Each structure stands twice: as structure tokens, then as C-alpha cells.
């Protein structure tokens, strides 16, 4: 079984590679490291670090040394983080440690969530029905964005040969995402956020149009619903069963429903392109929530194309974890990889017994891997929670 912990390059640099590897293998009892190789901005509280307590990573950068020949004519170019030059190539260091008998290596790769690139290439980002750009989200229908993601995966897997590569955000991102100082005085409901997340950029217009979707009618319907929501005195659901029915809640609007049925095509085809671009020695898995349909992800199709799924079991009861594992196994089949991810955040997890019950729930169903979030963001003693939970099974 693959037992991994998500981490960042600066986590390893701050504590030192030997101490980090001891924490992972000896203290937590894990056999893999999931290192962020492409990531976005944020502010990270660093309880583990002996040199700082907050870190602000550069936005939309990569944490490995690219093969410039692969990128020579790419319309969207990656930027190497200063962190790599200042603190060293942690992906290379982990691969060397693996080859010397250390834990396996997974490249945790953020795909289309990139504000820096969105600002540089506004013609390649998702856009609302009102043509508002979402600068934090490159669009999976954009040929330039697709080229960026597939080259990223080819670059990492051929240059470093990680055991696994975890894809994050190869899909349409949500409107409510935690962008800097997001403000909503309206009180957006889940259905409103979904409608505001639908992309009507030039690439989606063209791609869906070629598939026979009536995009003008679909756009008009979405604009009408959003405008109506903006006039409400207080939030009131038009589709109270939206979360249960999903896109079928819109069956009464044929053009919009057809557009929503089409919406998984750019994501599914991008996943196929990614799989083809990757070196065959690296397993490719998708990291997502079970409600991935909101972002245009067809999990069943993703499971067929890739080597497996890593589903986030965040903030779920043991019973809900069991249900998620059953759902995941049905998607990947008996031979596909199924992993579950847990956050070590308090009060989501209140202690070692709390984590153990959720790990036990996953084992009872039968999973192939577990990931824990996140090495540098939690106190050292929570690594003991992992070891205790793994001993219990």
C-alpha cells in the first residue's frame, strides 16, 4: 500500500532532508512523499519550521528544473520558483533518496490553477456568461493551456521519473475559490456558484459549438439566472435539489442542459492527452473531491483513462468515508488504484483516535493508498496520529 504525505519544497528545506525523511518513514510510518512540483500563491502557517512561522510562496511557479527544449515554442511558459535556486531542487533530492532506499516519490502537480499565468494570458482563462475573466483559472478548452499542462507532465515524468504524479485542477475551477479578499454580500447559494463557474470563453464557445451545442441559448439562460439571483432580497433556491440532481436539475432548459452534458469533454480529453504525454513508468492519478462533476470532471471516464483516483475524504464521518471508498472502488474497478486523502487539521481531526476510525473505515472497504495533508502545516505530534492510525489496521 502507498502511504504518502503531501508537502512543499520549503518544508523539507527548513527542517533538512535527513530529518524530514526520518519523520516520514520512522515517525509517521509512511513509504511515499507527495511533493508539490507546481503550485499557486498563499500564506502558509509553518508550525514545523525552525526558521519561520509564515511563508508566502511565489504565485504560479514550478519547483523543479525544466527541460527548456520541451518548452522552446510553447505559448505559455513556466517560471521556476526562486525557492529552487535558494534552497535546492527537492524533487531531485527525493528521487536520489528513493534510489538509495528511501520512500517513493509522487509529483503533486497543480495544472490549471495559476493566477500568474492567467494575468499574463487573459485570453486563456475561464470566463463567466458575462465575459468576466477568472484570472486564477486557465481553461481546459484553451489549446495553449492544454499544451502547458501536457508539457508540464511530460517534463516532470521524463526528467525525474517519479513513481506517481498527482493531478490537481485539470478541470474548470469554481467561482468561489478563496481568491484574495473575495467578497460576496449577496449570499451565493451552491447553484449560483455553479452557474458563475460555467465557462463561456472563446475556446469553449468554439469547441462546444463544433459539438452542436447552442451556445448563445445556453449563455442567455445562465445570464438570466445569474441576473435574477442578483435581484433577490435574500438567498432563495430555484433548484432546492440541485446538489442531489446535479446537471439534471437543468433539464427544463435544453440548450443549457446540453452544454452541461458537453462540459466534461474538454476535461476528459485533456486527461487523455496528459496520459499520453507522461512517461510510462510514472502512474498518473487524479486528485479530486467526489463532487468533481461540479468542475466538469467525469470521474468514471477519468478512472478509465488514468491509473486511478485519489479522492479527498476531508471532513467526513467514518460512515461517509466508507461510502466514499465504495464509490471510488466502483469507479476504478478491482485493478485500478484507489487512494483516499485526509487532512490533519484541527478540529476536523481532534486526535489520533479520530483519524484512526477514518483510516479503519477505508481499510474495511479496501483502498490502495492513503495521503495525509500536510507535513509543514501541522504540529510534529500529529505525525504520531498517522503512525497510530496505521498501527490500528
Amino acid at each position: 500500500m502507498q502511504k504518502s504525505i503531501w508537502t512543499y519544497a520549503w518544508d523539507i528545506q527548513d527542517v533538512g532532508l535527513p530529518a524530514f525523511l526520518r519523520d516520514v518513514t520512522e515517525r509517521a510510518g509512511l513509504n511515499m512523499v507527495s511533493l508539490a512540483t507546481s503550485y499557486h500563491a498563499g500564506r502558509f502557517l509553518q508550525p514545523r519550521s525552525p526558521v519561520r512561522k509564515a511563508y508566502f510562496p511565489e504565485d504560479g511557479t514550478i519547483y523543479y528544473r525544466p527541460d527548456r527544449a520541451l518548452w522552446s515554442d510553447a505559448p505559455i511558459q513556466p517560471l521556476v520558483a526562486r525557492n529552487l535556486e535558494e534552497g535546492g531542487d527537492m524533487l531531485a533530492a527525493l528521487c536520489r533518496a528513493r534510489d538509495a532506499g528511501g520512500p517513493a516519490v509522487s509529483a503533486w502537480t497543480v495544472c490549471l490553477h495559476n493566477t500568474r499565468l492567467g494575468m499574463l494570458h487573459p485570453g486563456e482563462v475561464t470566463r463567466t456568461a458575462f465575459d468576466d475573466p477568472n484570472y486564477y483559472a486557465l481553461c481546459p478548452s484553451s489549446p495553449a493551456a492544454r499544451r502547458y499542462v501536457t508539457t508540464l507532465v511530460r517534463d516532470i515524468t521524463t526528467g525525474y521519473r517519479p513513481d506517481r504524479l498527482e493531478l490537481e485542477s485539470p478541470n474548470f475551477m469554481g467561482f468561489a475559490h478563496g481568491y484574495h479578499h473575495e467578497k460576496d454580500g449577496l449570499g451565493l447559494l451552491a447553484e449560483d456558484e455553479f452557474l458563475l463557474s460555467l465557462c463561456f470563453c472563446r475556446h469553449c464557445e468554439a469547441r462546444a459549438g463544433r459539438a452542436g451545442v447552442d451556445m448563445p441559448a445556453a449563455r442567455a439562460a445562465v445570464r438570466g439566472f445569474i441576473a435574477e439571483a442578483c435581484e433577490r432580497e435574500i438567498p432563495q433556491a430555484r433548484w432546492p435539489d440541485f446538489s442531489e440532481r446535479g446537471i439534471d436539475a437543468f433539464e427544463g432548459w435544453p440548450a443549457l442542459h446540453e452544454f452541461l452534458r458537453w462540459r466534461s469533454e474538454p476535461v476528459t480529453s485533456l486527461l487523455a492527452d496528459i496520459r499520453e504525454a507522461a512517461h510510462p513508468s510514472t502512474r498518473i492519478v487524479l486528485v479530486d473531491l467526489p463532487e468533481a462533476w461540479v468542475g466538469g470532471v467525469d470521474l468514471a471516464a477519468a478512472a478509465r483513462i488514468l491509473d486511478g483516483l485519489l479522492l479527498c475524504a476531508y471532513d467526513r464521518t467514518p460512515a461517509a468515508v466508507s461510502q466514499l471508498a465504495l464509490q471510488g472502488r466502483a469507479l476504478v474497478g478491482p485493478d485500478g488504484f484507489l487512494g483516499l486523502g485526509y487532512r490533519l487539521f484541527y478540529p476536523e481531526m481532534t486526535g489520533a483516535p479520530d483519524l484512526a476510525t477514518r483510516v479503519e473505515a477505508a481499510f474495511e472497504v479496501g483502498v490502495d493508498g492513503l495521503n495525509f495533508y500536510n507535513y509543514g502545516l501541522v504540529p510534529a505530534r500529529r505525525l504520531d496520529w498517522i503512525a497510530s492510525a496505521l498501527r490500528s489496521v
Side-chain angles (χ1 to χ4, degrees), residues 269-289:
S269 60
L270 176 57
L271 294 178
D273 290 347
I274 288 170
R275 173 69 274 181
E276 184 176 354
H279 192 278
S281 66
T282 300
R283 301 182 82 187
I284 309 296
V285 300
L286 174 67
V287 182
D288 215 324
L289 296 168

PDB file of all heavy atoms in Angstrom, residues 269-289:
ATOM      1  N   SER A 269     -10.814  14.834 -22.383  1.00  0.00           N
ATOM      2  CA  SER A 269      -9.825  14.755 -23.467  1.00  0.00           C
ATOM      3  C   SER A 269      -8.465  15.272 -23.009  1.00  0.00           C
ATOM      4  O   SER A 269      -7.419  14.774 -23.453  1.00  0.00           O
ATOM      5  CB  SER A 269     -10.314  15.521 -24.696  1.00  0.00           C
ATOM      6  OG  SER A 269     -10.526  16.888 -24.410  1.00  0.00           O
ATOM      7  N   LEU A 270      -8.456  16.260 -22.109  1.00  0.00           N
ATOM      8  CA  LEU A 270      -7.179  16.737 -21.560  1.00  0.00           C
ATOM      9  C   LEU A 270      -6.519  15.640 -20.736  1.00  0.00           C
ATOM     10  O   LEU A 270      -5.300  15.436 -20.821  1.00  0.00           O
ATOM     11  CB  LEU A 270      -7.400  17.988 -20.713  1.00  0.00           C
ATOM     12  CG  LEU A 270      -6.157  18.538 -19.998  1.00  0.00           C
ATOM     13  CD1 LEU A 270      -5.038  18.862 -20.989  1.00  0.00           C
ATOM     14  CD2 LEU A 270      -6.524  19.779 -19.173  1.00  0.00           C
ATOM     15  N   LEU A 271      -7.287  14.914 -19.953  1.00  0.00           N
ATOM     16  CA  LEU A 271      -6.721  13.810 -19.182  1.00  0.00           C
ATOM     17  C   LEU A 271      -6.119  12.751 -20.108  1.00  0.00           C
ATOM     18  O   LEU A 271      -5.058  12.185 -19.809  1.00  0.00           O
ATOM     19  CB  LEU A 271      -7.793  13.184 -18.291  1.00  0.00           C
ATOM     20  CG  LEU A 271      -8.337  14.065 -17.166  1.00  0.00           C
ATOM     21  CD1 LEU A 271      -9.429  13.327 -16.404  1.00  0.00           C
ATOM     22  CD2 LEU A 271      -7.230  14.514 -16.221  1.00  0.00           C
ATOM     23  N   ALA A 272      -6.775  12.497 -21.223  1.00  0.00           N
ATOM     24  CA  ALA A 272      -6.228  11.534 -22.183  1.00  0.00           C
ATOM     25  C   ALA A 272      -4.917  12.045 -22.768  1.00  0.00           C
ATOM     26  O   ALA A 272      -3.958  11.273 -22.944  1.00  0.00           O
ATOM     27  CB  ALA A 272      -7.247  11.279 -23.292  1.00  0.00           C
ATOM     28  N   ASP A 273      -4.853  13.340 -23.061  1.00  0.00           N
ATOM     29  CA  ASP A 273      -3.615  13.928 -23.586  1.00  0.00           C
ATOM     30  C   ASP A 273      -2.500  13.863 -22.541  1.00  0.00           C
ATOM     31  O   ASP A 273      -1.330  13.637 -22.866  1.00  0.00           O
ATOM     32  CB  ASP A 273      -3.847  15.382 -23.995  1.00  0.00           C
ATOM     33  CG  ASP A 273      -4.728  15.513 -25.224  1.00  0.00           C
ATOM     34  OD1 ASP A 273      -4.966  14.492 -25.908  1.00  0.00           O
ATOM     35  OD2 ASP A 273      -5.193  16.642 -25.509  1.00  0.00           O
ATOM     36  N   ILE A 274      -2.852  14.082 -21.294  1.00  0.00           N
ATOM     37  CA  ILE A 274      -1.873  14.007 -20.208  1.00  0.00           C
ATOM     38  C   ILE A 274      -1.323  12.589 -20.096  1.00  0.00           C
ATOM     39  O   ILE A 274      -0.108  12.383 -19.975  1.00  0.00           O
ATOM     40  CB  ILE A 274      -2.517  14.449 -18.877  1.00  0.00           C
ATOM     41  CG1 ILE A 274      -2.760  15.962 -18.875  1.00  0.00           C
ATOM     42  CG2 ILE A 274      -1.650  14.049 -17.684  1.00  0.00           C
ATOM     43  CD1 ILE A 274      -3.598  16.457 -17.715  1.00  0.00           C
ATOM     44  N   ARG A 275      -2.200  11.619 -20.130  1.00  0.00           N
ATOM     45  CA  ARG A 275      -1.768  10.222 -20.016  1.00  0.00           C
ATOM     46  C   ARG A 275      -0.803   9.861 -21.150  1.00  0.00           C
ATOM     47  O   ARG A 275       0.215   9.181 -20.933  1.00  0.00           O
ATOM     48  CB  ARG A 275      -3.001   9.322 -20.048  1.00  0.00           C
ATOM     49  CG  ARG A 275      -2.765   7.830 -20.111  1.00  0.00           C
ATOM     50  CD  ARG A 275      -2.171   7.266 -18.826  1.00  0.00           C
ATOM     51  NE  ARG A 275      -0.705   7.376 -18.795  1.00  0.00           N
ATOM     52  CZ  ARG A 275       0.047   6.945 -17.801  1.00  0.00           C
ATOM     53  NH1 ARG A 275      -0.510   6.394 -16.748  1.00  0.00           N
ATOM     54  NH2 ARG A 275       1.350   7.063 -17.839  1.00  0.00           N
ATOM     55  N   GLU A 276      -1.111  10.347 -22.347  1.00  0.00           N
ATOM     56  CA  GLU A 276      -0.247  10.070 -23.492  1.00  0.00           C
ATOM     57  C   GLU A 276       1.100  10.767 -23.367  1.00  0.00           C
ATOM     58  O   GLU A 276       2.126  10.232 -23.791  1.00  0.00           O
ATOM     59  CB  GLU A 276      -0.945  10.506 -24.778  1.00  0.00           C
ATOM     60  CG  GLU A 276      -0.175  10.164 -26.039  1.00  0.00           C
ATOM     61  CD  GLU A 276      -0.925  10.524 -27.302  1.00  0.00           C
ATOM     62  OE1 GLU A 276      -2.099  10.941 -27.207  1.00  0.00           O
ATOM     63  OE2 GLU A 276      -0.339  10.397 -28.387  1.00  0.00           O
ATOM     64  N   ALA A 277       1.103  11.962 -22.760  1.00  0.00           N
ATOM     65  CA  ALA A 277       2.341  12.736 -22.647  1.00  0.00           C
ATOM     66  C   ALA A 277       3.267  12.188 -21.567  1.00  0.00           C
ATOM     67  O   ALA A 277       4.482  12.394 -21.617  1.00  0.00           O
ATOM     68  CB  ALA A 277       2.014  14.202 -22.354  1.00  0.00           C
ATOM     69  N   ALA A 278       2.718  11.518 -20.575  1.00  0.00           N
ATOM     70  CA  ALA A 278       3.506  11.070 -19.432  1.00  0.00           C
ATOM     71  C   ALA A 278       4.407   9.897 -19.787  1.00  0.00           C
ATOM     72  O   ALA A 278       4.076   9.073 -20.634  1.00  0.00           O
ATOM     73  CB  ALA A 278       2.575  10.669 -18.292  1.00  0.00           C
ATOM     74  N   HIS A 279       5.554   9.833 -19.112  1.00  0.00           N
ATOM     75  CA  HIS A 279       6.428   8.676 -19.272  1.00  0.00           C
ATOM     76  C   HIS A 279       5.711   7.449 -18.724  1.00  0.00           C
ATOM     77  O   HIS A 279       5.086   7.503 -17.663  1.00  0.00           O
ATOM     78  CB  HIS A 279       7.747   8.895 -18.535  1.00  0.00           C
ATOM     79  CG  HIS A 279       8.790   7.887 -18.881  1.00  0.00           C
ATOM     80  ND1 HIS A 279       8.841   6.639 -18.293  1.00  0.00           N
ATOM     81  CD2 HIS A 279       9.813   7.920 -19.763  1.00  0.00           C
ATOM     82  CE1 HIS A 279       9.863   5.962 -18.795  1.00  0.00           C
ATOM     83  NE2 HIS A 279      10.470   6.711 -19.693  1.00  0.00           N
ATOM     84  N   PRO A 280       5.778   6.311 -19.404  1.00  0.00           N
ATOM     85  CA  PRO A 280       5.011   5.130 -18.986  1.00  0.00           C
ATOM     86  C   PRO A 280       5.414   4.575 -17.626  1.00  0.00           C
ATOM     87  O   PRO A 280       4.641   3.806 -17.027  1.00  0.00           O
ATOM     88  CB  PRO A 280       5.277   4.117 -20.106  1.00  0.00           C
ATOM     89  CG  PRO A 280       6.497   4.608 -20.806  1.00  0.00           C
ATOM     90  CD  PRO A 280       6.487   6.090 -20.685  1.00  0.00           C
ATOM     91  N   SER A 281       6.574   4.946 -17.107  1.00  0.00           N
ATOM     92  CA  SER A 281       6.997   4.413 -15.811  1.00  0.00           C
ATOM     93  C   SER A 281       6.329   5.126 -14.639  1.00  0.00           C
ATOM     94  O   SER A 281       6.425   4.656 -13.503  1.00  0.00           O
ATOM     95  CB  SER A 281       8.519   4.513 -15.674  1.00  0.00           C
ATOM     96  OG  SER A 281       8.933   5.869 -15.618  1.00  0.00           O
ATOM     97  N   THR A 282       5.674   6.248 -14.888  1.00  0.00           N
ATOM     98  CA  THR A 282       5.021   7.012 -13.826  1.00  0.00           C
ATOM     99  C   THR A 282       3.516   6.784 -13.862  1.00  0.00           C
ATOM    100  O   THR A 282       2.888   6.972 -14.900  1.00  0.00           O
ATOM    101  CB  THR A 282       5.311   8.521 -13.980  1.00  0.00           C
ATOM    102  OG1 THR A 282       6.717   8.761 -13.910  1.00  0.00           O
ATOM    103  CG2 THR A 282       4.620   9.321 -12.886  1.00  0.00           C
ATOM    104  N   ARG A 283       2.949   6.401 -12.739  1.00  0.00           N
ATOM    105  CA  ARG A 283       1.497   6.239 -12.638  1.00  0.00           C
ATOM    106  C   ARG A 283       0.854   7.614 -12.491  1.00  0.00           C
ATOM    107  O   ARG A 283       1.342   8.464 -11.734  1.00  0.00           O
ATOM    108  CB  ARG A 283       1.124   5.362 -11.443  1.00  0.00           C
ATOM    109  CG  ARG A 283       1.723   3.975 -11.477  1.00  0.00           C
ATOM    110  CD  ARG A 283       1.263   3.157 -10.274  1.00  0.00           C
ATOM    111  NE  ARG A 283      -0.059   2.587 -10.496  1.00  0.00           N
ATOM    112  CZ  ARG A 283      -0.756   1.931  -9.559  1.00  0.00           C
ATOM    113  NH1 ARG A 283      -0.271   1.821  -8.341  1.00  0.00           N
ATOM    114  NH2 ARG A 283      -1.935   1.429  -9.844  1.00  0.00           N
ATOM    115  N   ILE A 284      -0.236   7.837 -13.206  1.00  0.00           N
ATOM    116  CA  ILE A 284      -0.928   9.122 -13.176  1.00  0.00           C
ATOM    117  C   ILE A 284      -2.274   8.943 -12.487  1.00  0.00           C
ATOM    118  O   ILE A 284      -3.080   8.108 -12.895  1.00  0.00           O
ATOM    119  CB  ILE A 284      -1.148   9.676 -14.600  1.00  0.00           C
ATOM    120  CG1 ILE A 284       0.163   9.678 -15.390  1.00  0.00           C
ATOM    121  CG2 ILE A 284      -1.742  11.073 -14.530  1.00  0.00           C
ATOM    122  CD1 ILE A 284       1.232  10.590 -14.849  1.00  0.00           C
ATOM    123  N   VAL A 285      -2.487   9.737 -11.429  1.00  0.00           N
ATOM    124  CA  VAL A 285      -3.763   9.666 -10.718  1.00  0.00           C
ATOM    125  C   VAL A 285      -4.347  11.072 -10.606  1.00  0.00           C
ATOM    126  O   VAL A 285      -3.627  12.072 -10.605  1.00  0.00           O
ATOM    127  CB  VAL A 285      -3.604   9.051  -9.311  1.00  0.00           C
ATOM    128  CG1 VAL A 285      -3.039   7.637  -9.400  1.00  0.00           C
ATOM    129  CG2 VAL A 285      -2.745   9.910  -8.410  1.00  0.00           C
ATOM    130  N   LEU A 286      -5.660  11.128 -10.522  1.00  0.00           N
ATOM    131  CA  LEU A 286      -6.374  12.396 -10.375  1.00  0.00           C
ATOM    132  C   LEU A 286      -6.730  12.605  -8.913  1.00  0.00           C
ATOM    133  O   LEU A 286      -7.301  11.721  -8.271  1.00  0.00           O
ATOM    134  CB  LEU A 286      -7.652  12.382 -11.211  1.00  0.00           C
ATOM    135  CG  LEU A 286      -8.583  13.593 -11.054  1.00  0.00           C
ATOM    136  CD1 LEU A 286      -7.927  14.855 -11.614  1.00  0.00           C
ATOM    137  CD2 LEU A 286      -9.925  13.337 -11.734  1.00  0.00           C
ATOM    138  N   VAL A 287      -6.397  13.788  -8.382  1.00  0.00           N
ATOM    139  CA  VAL A 287      -6.798  14.177  -7.030  1.00  0.00           C
ATOM    140  C   VAL A 287      -8.033  15.057  -7.136  1.00  0.00           C
ATOM    141  O   VAL A 287      -8.001  16.102  -7.796  1.00  0.00           O
ATOM    142  CB  VAL A 287      -5.682  14.956  -6.315  1.00  0.00           C
ATOM    143  CG1 VAL A 287      -6.108  15.298  -4.887  1.00  0.00           C
ATOM    144  CG2 VAL A 287      -4.381  14.181  -6.311  1.00  0.00           C
ATOM    145  N   ASP A 288      -9.123  14.635  -6.491  1.00  0.00           N
ATOM    146  CA  ASP A 288     -10.340  15.442  -6.588  1.00  0.00           C
ATOM    147  C   ASP A 288     -11.303  15.060  -5.482  1.00  0.00           C
ATOM    148  O   ASP A 288     -11.087  14.094  -4.737  1.00  0.00           O
ATOM    149  CB  ASP A 288     -11.009  15.261  -7.956  1.00  0.00           C
ATOM    150  CG  ASP A 288     -11.665  16.557  -8.449  1.00  0.00           C
ATOM    151  OD1 ASP A 288     -12.206  17.312  -7.609  1.00  0.00           O
ATOM    152  OD2 ASP A 288     -11.630  16.811  -9.661  1.00  0.00           O
ATOM    153  N   LEU A 289     -12.368  15.836  -5.394  1.00  0.00           N
ATOM    154  CA  LEU A 289     -13.462  15.546  -4.493  1.00  0.00           C
ATOM    155  C   LEU A 289     -14.453  14.614  -5.177  1.00  0.00           C
ATOM    156  O   LEU A 289     -14.515  14.565  -6.419  1.00  0.00           O
ATOM    157  CB  LEU A 289     -14.165  16.846  -4.096  1.00  0.00           C
ATOM    158  CG  LEU A 289     -13.333  17.856  -3.306  1.00  0.00           C
ATOM    159  CD1 LEU A 289     -14.060  19.190  -3.242  1.00  0.00           C
ATOM    160  CD2 LEU A 289     -13.053  17.339  -1.905  1.00  0.00           C
TER     161      LEU A 289
END
